[in-house]
Amino acid sequence: MLRNLAPFLAIAALLASCGGAPVAKPGTWRSAADVLAQSQPSDWRPLDPAATLYLELAAGRVVIELAPAFAPAHIARIAALTRAQAPLKGSVVRVQDNYVVQWAAEAVDPTPTSPALPLPAEYTRTADGLPFAVLADGDVYAPQVGWSLGFPAAREPADGTTWLAHCYGMVGVGRDMPPDTGDGTELYVVTGHAPRHLDRNLAVVGRVLRGMELLTSLPRGTEAMGFYAKPDQRAPIAAIRLASDVPPAVRTELEVMRTDTPTWSAWVESRRNRREAFFVNPAGRVELCNVAIPVRMATPAKP
Amino acid sequence: MLRNLAPFLAIAALLASCGGAPVAKPGTWRSAADVLAQSQPSDWRPLDPAATLYLELAAGRVVIELAPAFAPAHIARIAALTRAQAPLKGSVVRVQDNYVVQWAAEAVDPTPTSPALPLPAEYTRTADGLPFAVLADGDVYAPQVGWSLGFPAAREPADGTTWLAHCYGMVGVGRDMPPDTGDGTELYVVTGHAPRHLDRNLAVVGRVLRGMELLTSLPRGTEAMGFYAKPDQRAPIAAIRLASDVPPAVRTELEVMRTDTPTWSAWVESRRNRREAFFVNPAGRVELCNVAIPVRMATPAKP
């Protein structure tokens, strides 16, 4: 007599989440499944291989889309590290439940001299010139949230700044106590309820598009903050490298749904109000970090 | 050259989160560590063994605090099932990344006849007579949020209803498409960013106080919605039982921080504004589901 959530979660599972913009007029609502099925090639964008980071774990590849518009110096540093030693190896050093998984690159000798350390504190940037699709539903932490260049982001109109939001799957640069100590050798990914209090306190450099489950299912570390007690508990990373440094034939060709189209608005509305039969009370609102951005394998170009 | 988040996360790791109420006056702010260290025995409450559910996994015990004020019929049913067969066995059938882990009890024959099926749709209840500590920071999903009887909850003043919020660690009753099909044989726990769109659509019966990491580190299921493809992938549960049906000597005696005290307000403020040295920009706001409720082992009574 197994009761399961299958019917209502079939959609949730395949699709994952939703987001912003004005409420759809009655009759125009489409389910998330329909929005995906009816999307056009122009609703999707490819990844830039030079801004895509791969982590090669024994269990598979983690694909991270980098956001150079938000943390250019940190990302240049990460790229330099991946090229200073081939392959750049590393390991997962910390798994803290409902918080972050963190990995560290092995020491590189000599370390790159460009960009020079310390890196600037790229925790916020000017919003000038950046596209921003506002989520109308509001936010507890920021005056305005939405999506910029395909990433969940926040804005402070009072001072004209913007920053990437610490949603599930977002990747940032670990640092020590002083703000300028993050050097790109150690990165973390958010694996629990969005720790938005980290916003504007760390350099966020991108987000995991594929392979989250390889990181989130690792055993939790038992030391303070989820660090592993013994080095042999660390999951090895055989290579940390940019997709552009990998032969095209062995890249993971993904496409990401654009966040600046009518399809995106329909997607957000499909997640804001779930009108599938399972739901007796559609929420009517949706939170930024509950709007997962759809990702799919790219369709090979026809010859 | 490992950079880690150790200093700032030391506190986050030990404590976990924060929440509500008026902003502390300058000079009255205390760190989360200090709030815990300075708390008094009266700031904590014991668990009711008759409203505490244990899942005995091979890796250890999961402790769930039940909330009979919110879903009395569902909880009565769960209790009846645990007593219809001793021990009531089960297994984890579904692990969906950033969403839920779900387990199912084995079939019980004969099934209890009381309370009778179908159960009422205990998705909301009247707020009348229930204490409610309001979180002043607002919420995307509900007009009002806070804590009631020690659980994260929401209220709708317009119709006088209240319900438990689907925060990380909250436990609900799986059901099929019709709202009255949840029978307590299959429960789920939230393991990712709070899926608040489930609020008011399912019967929430409590939350995990201990042992989350035993569930969240399980391999993700590869079938639709994270179900396991093969029965032998399911993590067995040797016993599902109430603490009151376990000899006192082998109970897990926990205490939970009360959510109706000045200490609680200080705790919330410590999480709303993190003024520890690591933080260059305290958030100034906190979201309901980012306020973890402290749990500790009970101090044995002195003879």
Side-chain angles (χ1 to χ4, degrees), chain A residues 92-97 100 218-234, chain B residues 13-14 59 213-214 217:
Chain A
V92 177
V93 296
R94 173 186 181 202
V95 181
Q96 183 175 350
D97 197 60
V100 297
L218 291 170
R220 274 49 186 160
T222 54
E223 296 296 288
M225 302 182 313
F227 279 92
Y228 285 125
K230 299 174 184 174
D232 64 7
Q233 295 174 306
R234 300 175 179 177
Chain B
L14 287 170
E213 73 283 3
L214 306 179
S217 60

Side-chain angles (χ1 to χ4, degrees), chain A residues 1-14 16 77 81 93-94 96-100 102 104-105 107 111 117 123-124 137-141 167-168 173-177 179 181-188 191-202 212-213 216-220 224-227 234 271-272 274 276-283 285-290, chain B residues 1-14 16 77 81 93-94 96-100 102 104-105 107 111 117 123-124 137-141 167-168 173-177 179 181-188 191-202 212-213 216-220 224-227 234 271-272 274 276-283 285-290:
Chain A
M1 190 155 74
L2 300 187
R3 298 293 168 204
N4 69 52
L5 304 170
F8 96 96
L9 287 177
I11 290 161
L14 288 170
R77 185 76 187 181
L81 288 165
V93 296
R94 173 186 181 202
Q96 183 175 350
D97 197 60
N98 191 27
Y99 204 46
V100 297
Q102 188 168 323
T111 54
L117 299 180
Y123 305 161
T124 66
D137 304 55
D139 185 68
V140 167
Y141 289 93
C167 293
Y168 184 87
V173 177
R175 64 168 171 88
D176 293 329
M177 198 71 91
T181 51
D183 65 2
T185 58
E186 197 148 339
L187 307 183
Y188 64 90
T191 59
H193 188 80
R196 296 281 307 282
H197 55 276
L198 300 181
D199 289 4
R200 304 187 300 145
N201 285 287
L202 290 150
M212 273 298 284
E213 73 283 3
T216 55
S217 60
L218 291 170
R220 274 49 186 160
M225 302 182 313
F227 279 92
R234 300 175 179 177
R271 314 315 285 156
R272 176 186 291 119
R274 302 190 187 216
E276 292 86 356
F278 181 90
F279 288 89
V280 295
N281 283 308
R285 302 288 288 277
V286 70
E287 197 188 324
L288 177 71
C289 294
N290 266 329
Chain B
M1 192 156 74
L2 301 188
R3 298 295 169 202
N4 69 52
L5 303 170
F8 96 96
L9 288 176
I11 289 159
L14 287 170
R77 185 76 188 180
L81 287 165
V93 295
R94 174 187 181 202
Q96 182 175 352
D97 197 60
N98 192 27
Y99 205 44
V100 297
Q102 190 168 322
T111 55
L117 300 180
Y123 305 161
T124 65
D137 303 55
D139 184 67
V140 166
Y141 289 93
C167 293
Y168 184 87
V173 177
R175 63 169 170 90
D176 293 328
M177 198 71 90
T181 51
D183 65 1
T185 58
E186 196 148 340
L187 307 183
Y188 63 90
T191 59
H193 189 79
R196 297 282 306 282
H197 55 277
L198 299 181
D199 288 4
R200 305 186 300 145
N201 284 286
L202 290 149
M212 273 299 284
E213 73 283 3
T216 56
S217 60
L218 291 171
R220 275 50 186 160
M225 303 180 315
F227 278 93
R234 300 175 178 175
R271 313 315 286 157
R272 175 187 290 121
R274 301 188 187 218
E276 293 84 357
F278 181 88
F279 288 89
V280 295
N281 284 305
R285 303 288 287 275
V286 71
E287 196 189 324
L288 177 71
C289 294
N290 266 330

Side-chain angles (χ1 to χ4, degrees), chain B residues 123-139:
Chain B
Y123 305 161
T124 65
R125 57 153 287 171
T126 173
D128 288 353
L130 275 192
F132 197 91
V134 173
L135 174 66
D137 303 55
D139 184 67

